[in-house]
Amino acid sequence: MKKSTSGRTTQPCRGAAGLTALKVTFDHAQRQTGIPRALRVLASANQKTGFDCPGCAWPDPETRSPAEFCENGAKAILDEATTRKVGRSFFAQHSVDALKEKSERWLNEQGRLLEPMILRSGSTHYSPITYEEAFSLIGEKMRHWGPAKTSFYTSGRASNEAAFLLSLMAREFGTNNLPDCSNLCHESSGIALKETLGIGKGTVRLKDFAQSDLIFVIGQNPGTNHPRMLSALKEAKKNGATIVSVNPLIETGLINFSHPQDPEDLLNDGTPLADHFVQLNINGDLALFRGINKSLLKSDGKKESAVDHPFIKKHVRGFDDFLQVCKESSWKKIVSESGIVQEEIERLARLIENSDNMIACWAMGLTQHQNAVATIQEVTNLLLLTGNMGRPGAGACPVRGHSNVQGDRTMGIALTLPVEHARRMKHEWQVPMPKAPGLDAVGTIEAMAQGKVKAFFALGGNFLSASPDTQFTGQALAQCALTVHVSTKLNRSHLTAGSIGIILPCLGRTERDITSSGEQKVSVENSMGVVHSSRGKLRPAHPQLLGEPSIIARLALEICPPSPHTPPWSKWVHDYEAIRDGIAKVVPGFERYNQRLAAPGGFELPNGPRERNFTTEDGYAHFIASEISRIQLKEGELLLMTVRSHDQFNTTVYSNDDRYRGIYGTRKVLLLNKEDLQKRELKSGDLLQVTSHFTNSQGESETRVLQGLRAHCYALPPGSAMAYFPETNPLVFINSHAARSRTPTSKSIRITIKCVQE
Ligand SMILES: Nc1nc2c(c(=O)[nH]1)N[C@H]1C(S)=C(S)[C@@H](COP(=O)(O)OP(=O)(O)OC[C@H]3O[C@@H](n4cnc5c(=O)[nH]c(N)nc54)[C@H](O)[C@@H]3O)O[C@H]1N2
Ligand SMILES: Nc1nc2c(c(=O)[nH]1)N[C@H]1C(S)=C(S)[C@@H](COP(=O)(O)OP(=O)(O)OC[C@H]3O[C@@H](n4cnc5c(=O)[nH]c(N)nc54)[C@H](O)[C@@H]3O)O[C@H]1N2
Ligand SMILES: [Mo]
């Protein structure tokens, strides 16, 4: 074990989960809730009559284990179920300026928010306000600034009911300004897939994993971010599947997995997972997958060929153009941009030729680059070329982040509503659908900075810390007249308020939501399009806390002018079943919502491409091929990706350890490979100044600077660097985002580094 000036490091782990996962869960339980409460709450996590884990969006198996959660799900649950509380005395004691000095981790650790608080212009401290007063003040300010100057952000934990109400309220108020965390996350996947397949979602079902014989895990770290996916990979492996990890890092979770509830695994040192680790350059995926496709096309017509002409002929358009683009893509470029030699790329193509059913999974390693949409389309091209679409054991699997981020989109948290959804909404309640295009997350920040958005409302999340260019975003938020956050826990966004800042605390997933109509449930959609109910079990952190749907319905009563056709907001404040009746009328696929939700495990939404029914305008899937591109580095620059540690959920940091990568007690590290350190005469532990470089919309160079990271030697491809989000968000320039999806390029940051003398 090596000790640097701050924190300590070991070799990365060679296996995920196991008994250590149980111990870590136990430690968290002791710290957050005590063991009896932890057992009570964890027992109903992901059960058919219980609540949906507020962690990731990975689906639940048909047959549930009595402990249907993972180490990191347990952290998310216990973090919410904590018995620590942040009441009015806390805010009286700590000024906002004093709180700004604290770390994100410290803020979260203080506990659950209990009552609405307000920070008035000129005040140094938040003070209590009632929900009634808060709604009336928010209503007054929003009406004053009007819909065009108001923006409503959603983080992906919001239930279908809350999201539906927010979308309807925004539209009735008169705006499409509905940015969401998806703008920062899988937006690139949604755009890429909508064009190629006709639906912005994946096509794979959980059971497909057991039937697949080749699984690519691309730009995703499931051991940390979707640990229950390791069980699906393990099952696939047991059935003989080959697993390929495409990632600049060798992530521990894909080396070996020991299921903590499987005695056989524990005795046998687990199950090895990935058979191949393709350690490509950061942002080299478009080149890599172009190379694979080129190689597959080279065998076209031969016996071993995997090119599925009957499928292509019947279902896909654009083959000739695609063939041409592949021909024109030179191996030289493919190899130099991907960082993978031709023989290895050809080997991957042969693996595909030898497989019957292939699944491609991906996450942020693909979505957060300038060429993200083109890259995801190249992966889809591969699936279409080989007919790995719309049949068992095969397909596209973008693995979603937040537990209900996909459901929120389905419910209408989008800048434009699908035509039929909009038509029904208008028909049902005479909503005068706003014409002006909505602002996304980056657009909202820019509009705030220009004084064009004055009122900001966030349904969950931590907009300041999750967004790019932290300092710029902070200044933008501070220019608002009103910022409102519906939150369960304290975070940095609360500390950078507009002239008036309001915190509206709410119930979490783990808690019972009892209104004047009795106990309510909510519903969510997982990453594979299964919609199911979620009912909390714990007594609320405070008796007066409101559920998110009630909060939105009450706000709607303030900002939406009453009319004979107005939606039944007053009823919806306390009756969520009635909200679902509204959803059933308006959202395609949700007919008889309440009845179908009653089925144990819920129901599956329609998904055309699953049945080879491509829901594009012309009814065909499309090959869409772009020129190979990769972010270009100047002399001396490195390419930085910002990722999650094993002990955080987005901006919520549980501890400063990253067990799998062998980093303990610090998050302020910059991981570099040995040669890159040597070239710069640096060694692990050196204190660095990191400068990021961008070109702005006028073509001028811009930089951002971050102090305080320490160098750490790690096995990365040459020319790359890795650091943790959100600490590094100040380095992501606001105008650096993916073409078309506008997702910030959090995994493609050009940096230079300099050693700082201590
Ligand atoms: N415990 C826990 N669970 C979570 C979250 C969490 O913070 N904590 N967050 C949730 C959310 S919102 C999301 S979106 C998901 C995120 O899940 P992931 O996408 O797994 O999250 P990241 O940590 O961003 O990891 C991205 C992976 O991509 C790799 N990568 C980076 N750049 C490239 C590249 O150019 N090419 C390739 N091929 N790989 C690359 C990195 O090495 C890393 O392994 O997880 C969800 N689940
Ligand atoms: N540099 C960099 N930046 C990134 C990323 C990256 O990989 N690199 N990833 C991006 C991604 S994928 C995402 S999804 C975004 C995440 O962006 P967000 O979703 O905005 O951020 P979170 O950290 O998940 O939000 C945490 C806060 O949500 C609140 N919260 C938790 N549970 C609930 C609940 O049930 N209800 C309500 N109302 N509030 C709740 C708590 O107050 C908590 O502090 O960050 C993005 N930012
Ligand atoms: Mo995400």
Side-chain angles (χ1 to χ4, degrees):
M1 192 169 291
K2 207 156 71 187
K3 211 165 163 43
S4 68
T5 340
S6 90
R8 63 193 168 81
T9 58
T10 63
Q11 287 300 314
C13 281
R14 301 292 303 167
L19 289 175
T20 315
L22 290 182
K23 182 183 173 310
V24 170
T25 307
F26 185 79
D27 290 348
H28 272 264
Q30 264 184 325
R31 229 181 17 256
Q32 296 295 352
T33 57
I35 300 301
R37 184 174 165 88
L39 291 175
R40 202 162 64 242
V41 66
L42 291 174
S44 78
N46 292 327
Q47 299 300 328
K48 288 181 181 168
T49 54
F51 64 89
D52 181 56
C53 173
C56 76
W58 189 253
D60 306 307
E62 192 36 53
T63 315
R64 315 274 159 102
S65 120
E68 192 56 59
F69 56 85
C70 64
E71 172 195 332
N72 280 353
K75 285 177 197 158
I77 292 164
L78 297 169
D79 189 73
E80 179 182 298
T82 182
T83 44
R84 299 178 196 194
K85 297 190 170 152
V86 177
R88 57 175 68 187
S89 61
F90 172 90
F91 286 106
Q93 207 183 334
H94 301 274
S95 71
V96 170
D97 279 344
L99 291 173
K100 279 185 183 164
E101 298 301 315
K102 304 291 188 186
S103 68
E104 200 78 65
R105 178 180 170 199
W106 187 93
L107 295 174
N108 175 63
E109 263 179 359
Q110 302 316 301
R112 286 288 301 278
L113 293 159
L114 300 182
E115 57 183 326
M117 303 298 297
I118 182 164
L119 183 67
R120 295 182 199 272
S121 184
S123 304
T124 53
H125 291 67
Y126 267 101
S127 54
I129 181 172
T130 63
Y131 276 115
E132 285 69 22
E133 286 165 335
F135 290 130
S136 142
L137 183 60
I138 299 167
E140 182 196 313
K141 293 287 168 198
M142 284 190 179
R143 288 193 311 270
H144 171 79
W145 291 107
K149 290 197 165 180
T150 302
S151 188
F152 297 98
Y153 173 73
T154 308
S155 166
R157 235 176 233 189
S159 62
N160 279 357
E161 288 75 0
F164 175 76
L165 294 193
L166 186 68
S167 153
L168 177 58
M169 174 180 81
R171 265 101 197 187
E172 217 195 337
F173 183 48
T175 181
N176 284 315
N177 293 343
L178 284 158
D180 66 355
C181 70
S182 197
N183 298 152
L184 312 169
C185 179
H186 262 295
E187 196 68 57
S188 311
S189 307
I191 293 196
L193 294 175
K194 184 101 184 63
E195 274 182 5
T196 50
L197 308 180
I199 188 168
K201 302 182 183 183
T203 67
V204 160
R205 295 179 173 96
L206 183 54
K207 63 180 184 205
D208 287 319
F209 279 78
Q211 299 175 53
S212 175
D213 61 2
L214 180 61
I215 301 169
F216 271 61
V217 181
I218 314 159
Q220 192 203 347
N221 179 17
T224 285
N225 298 315
H226 307 92
R228 289 191 306 147
M229 178 173 166
L230 300 190
S231 302
L233 293 178
K234 181 182 144 182
E235 200 184 344
K237 194 78 203 166
K238 244 178 35 198
N239 297 344
T242 300
I243 297 173
V244 180
S245 163
V246 179
N247 198 315
L249 300 183
I250 293 189
E251 298 283 26
T252 296
L254 288 167
I255 302 177
N256 186 296
F257 168 53
S258 186
H259 196 305
Q261 293 162 35
D262 183 344
E264 206 181 308
D265 256 8
L266 297 177
L267 281 173
N268 295 336
D269 284 339
T271 311
L273 291 181
D275 303 87
H276 302 271
F277 288 93
V278 184
Q279 258 192 295
L280 82 177
N281 286 333
I282 296 177
N283 194 213
D285 304 79
L286 176 51
L288 176 82
F289 283 93
R290 175 62 45 78
I292 295 178
N293 286 329
K294 188 178 169 79
S295 179
L296 288 170
L297 281 162
K298 205 169 69 182
S299 343
D300 190 13
K302 297 191 187 144
K303 196 166 87 266
E304 68 275 16
S305 171
V307 179
D308 186 344
H309 282 294
F311 170 76
I312 296 170
K313 198 155 173 240
K314 193 157 174 212
H315 295 292
V316 198
R317 287 285 179 265
F319 179 72
D320 292 341
D321 289 346
F322 177 53
L323 186 68
Q324 192 58 27
V325 175
C326 286
K327 273 192 187 147
E328 284 164 10
S329 305
S330 73
W331 276 112
K332 190 162 165 256
K333 186 147 196 182
I334 289 170
V335 169
S336 69
E337 303 299 38
S338 66
I340 302 296
V341 295
Q342 184 175 343
E343 295 68 38
E344 192 176 346
I345 300 178
E346 304 247 31
R347 255 201 309 277
L348 294 171
R350 300 297 84 77
L351 270 181
I352 295 168
E353 282 168 355
N354 288 324
S355 94
D356 292 325
N357 302 307
M358 171 185 170
I359 290 176
C361 307
W362 70 87
M364 296 305 101
L366 288 199
T367 64
Q368 299 176 330
H369 298 284
Q370 209 279 333
N371 59 359
V373 174
T375 302
I376 294 162
Q377 289 185 330
E378 194 63 21
V379 174
T380 320
N381 289 340
L382 164 58
L383 298 171
L384 292 174
L385 186 66
T386 50
N388 275 303
M389 186 66 75
R391 57 185 173 76
C397 183
V399 185
R400 300 280 161 176
H402 265 296
S403 53
N404 197 38
V405 63
Q406 188 160 309
D408 292 344
R409 223 4 113 74
T410 311
M411 286 297 119
I413 303 297
L415 306 185
T416 41
L417 278 180
V419 177
E420 182 58 14
H421 186 147
R423 190 193 65 75
R424 293 192 201 172
M425 190 182 264
K426 194 169 175 189
H427 170 80
E428 199 57 42
W429 298 298
Q430 314 286 304
V431 180
M433 299 307 281
K435 296 274 180 300
L439 295 167
D440 60 8
V442 167
T444 292
I445 298 165
E446 285 167 334
M448 284 171 177
Q450 294 160 1
K452 292 181 184 160
V453 159
K454 297 302 286 183
F456 176 72
F457 180 94
L459 179 58
N462 184 356
F463 190 70
L464 171 62
S465 300
S467 294
D469 225 341
T470 316
Q471 205 184 348
F472 179 80
T473 300
Q475 284 161 359
L477 276 163
Q479 284 196 51
C480 288
L482 172 75
T483 48
V484 183
H485 293 277
V486 180
S487 311
T488 50
K489 305 286 287 282
L490 190 61
N491 66 45
R492 199 158 295 285
S493 296
H494 303 132
L495 310 178
T496 308
S499 306
I500 295 175
I502 293 176
I503 302 174
L504 294 174
C506 65
L507 293 168
R509 286 265 179 86
T510 54
E511 290 165 314
R512 298 169 72 174
D513 189 343
I514 301 171
T515 69
S516 57
S517 304
E519 191 165 337
Q520 305 297 313
K521 65 178 179 191
V522 292
S523 48
V524 291
E525 172 185 340
N526 66 33
S527 197
M528 293 178 192
V530 175
V531 178
H532 62 90
S533 61
S534 174
R535 198 193 281 269
K537 292 287 166 189
L538 293 178
R539 189 162 352 118
H542 191 281
Q544 70 152 354
L545 281 180
L546 295 178
E548 291 174 336
S550 300
I551 289 176
I552 307 296
R554 288 180 64 168
L555 180 59
L557 286 167
E558 297 287 339
I559 66 170
C560 299
S563 84
H565 308 288
T566 205
W569 296 112
S570 313
K571 186 169 175 58
W572 287 348
V573 168
H574 52 85
D575 184 350
Y576 299 179
E577 197 171 312
I579 302 176
R580 287 187 290 275
D581 285 337
I583 295 173
K585 286 183 191 156
V586 168
V587 187
F590 284 79
E591 297 72 21
R592 298 175 37 252
Y593 194 9
N594 278 304
Q595 292 93 308
R596 288 157 76 207
L597 203 58
F603 63 94
E604 193 181 280
L605 287 175
N607 181 316
R610 265 185 193 157
E611 325 305 331
R612 299 195 159 182
N613 167 21
F614 295 99
T615 37
T616 51
E617 263 177 35
D618 61 7
Y620 288 93
H622 290 262
F623 287 111
I624 302 178
S626 312
E627 289 289 313
I628 296 178
S629 58
R630 184 173 173 252
I631 187 158
Q632 294 304 308
L633 298 180
K634 298 208 175 104
E635 183 64 30
E637 287 180 353
L638 297 157
L639 195 55
L640 169 68
M641 55 178 174
T642 58
V643 306
R644 292 148 173 82
S645 80
H646 193 63
D647 261 7
Q648 70 183 89
F649 192 93
N650 297 340
T651 68
T652 303
V653 176
Y654 306 127
S655 91
N656 292 342
D657 298 342
D658 192 0
R659 186 169 92 237
Y660 291 168
R661 299 195 183 103
I663 298 166
Y664 294 89
T666 180
R667 294 174 49 85
K668 297 197 167 162
V669 282
L670 186 80
L671 275 53
L672 302 163
N673 90 0
K674 208 165 148 192
E675 290 101 85
D676 284 320
L677 280 170
Q678 278 167 354
K679 242 195 264 172
R680 292 167 178 77
E681 295 178 353
L682 291 169
K683 54 183 185 329
S684 280
D686 282 350
L687 188 60
L688 304 174
Q689 172 180 298
V690 182
T691 306
S692 60
H693 304 265
F694 298 91
T695 308
N696 69 17
S697 45
Q698 274 87 49
E700 299 150 351
S701 298
E702 291 240 7
T703 56
R704 299 286 186 266
V705 178
L706 184 69
Q707 310 282 356
L709 302 187
R710 284 180 190 277
H712 174 54
C713 185
Y714 203 82
L716 284 139
S720 356
M722 190 216 96
Y724 296 122
F725 129 74
E727 286 81 349
T728 41
N729 287 41
L731 290 172
V732 189
F733 182 51
I734 187 75
N735 260 316
S736 176
H737 37 69
R740 307 185 42 227
S741 66
R742 291 168 49 90
T743 298
T745 54
S746 323
K747 306 263 193 282
S748 269
I749 310 167
R750 284 164 43 213
I751 57 164
T752 48
I753 51 176
K754 185 165 99 183
C755 189
V756 178
Q757 295 308 322
E758 289 181 76

